[in-house]
C-alpha cells in the first residue's frame, strides 16, 4: 500500500512505519510541548521532513503544521581505557495544528 500526501508524492507505508524511531520524553520536550504545541521524535537519519509529516499523520491521525529537524552528533565517551562514541541521531520537532493534541495511544483529540 502507498500513501499520497498533499504535494502528490507517494510514500510506502512500510517505510513510514519505520521513520519514527521513538518519542523523546524529557523535561525539555515537555516544556516545548506545552509552550509551542510541538512533539519531539527520534527519527531515522535519512528521513525527510515530508516523510516525517506523513508518518505522524498516518500513525497518530493528527494534522501536522510543520516539521523542524536537527542532527545531533554523538558524544565521545571513555569506556575504561578506550574512547568510544555514541550514535549520531536525528530529532524532529513536529508542530501540530491549533486544537490538535497527540497522545501516544493513537487517538486524536
Amino acid at each position: 500500500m502507498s500513501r499520497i500526501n498533499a504535494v502528490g508524492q507517494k510514500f510506502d507505508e512500510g517505510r513510514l512505519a519505520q521513520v519514527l524511531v521513538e518519542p523523546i520524553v524529557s523535561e525539555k520536550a515537555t516544556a516545548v510541548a506545552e509552550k509551542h504545541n510541538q512533539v519531539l521524535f527520534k527519527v531515522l537519519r535519512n528521513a525527510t521532513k515530508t516523510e516525517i509529516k506523513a508518518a505522524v499523520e498516518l500513525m497518530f491521525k493528527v494534522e501536522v503544521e510543520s516539521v523542524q529537524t536537527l542532527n545531533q552528533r554523538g558524544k565521545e565517551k571513555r569506556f575504561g581505557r578506550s574512547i568510544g562514541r555514541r550514535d549520531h541521531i536525528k530529532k524532529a520537532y513536529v508542530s501540530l495544528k491549533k486544537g490538535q493534541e497527540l497522545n501516544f495511544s493513537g487517538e486524536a483529540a
Side-chain angles (χ1 to χ4, degrees):
M1 289 189 127
S2 61
R3 174 178 165 83
I4 300 175
N5 67 355
V7 182
Q9 293 176 327
K10 270 190 167 181
F11 292 117
D12 180 37
E13 289 192 14
R15 163 80 176 162
L16 292 181
Q18 295 175 350
V19 166
L20 302 177
V21 177
E22 62 183 312
I24 298 175
V25 181
S26 64
E27 288 183 31
K28 183 177 180 180
T30 305
V32 166
E34 290 173 359
K35 188 172 182 182
H36 300 291
N37 197 23
Q38 290 181 328
V39 183
L40 268 78
F41 287 100
K42 184 176 176 182
V43 296
L44 294 179
R45 291 194 47 217
N46 60 356
T48 63
K49 290 182 179 185
T50 53
E51 280 182 329
I52 295 167
K53 179 179 179 178
V56 171
E57 288 177 346
L58 176 68
M59 298 288 213
F60 300 104
K61 309 291 189 265
V62 294
E63 294 180 30
V64 174
E65 187 173 330
S66 66
V67 176
Q68 296 171 316
T69 60
L70 69 91
N71 290 306
Q72 184 177 21
R73 291 177 53 92
K75 293 180 179 180
E76 284 190 2
K77 292 288 195 176
R78 290 189 69 93
F79 299 103
R81 291 184 187 174
S82 60
I83 296 177
R85 178 187 289 272
R86 290 186 181 165
D87 289 338
H88 303 309
I89 63 169
K90 187 172 193 174
K91 293 181 182 179
Y93 287 78
V94 179
S95 298
L96 302 175
K97 289 192 177 175
K98 206 77 156 161
Q100 296 286 311
E101 197 174 289
L102 189 136
N103 19 0
F104 294 108
S105 63
E107 304 167 1

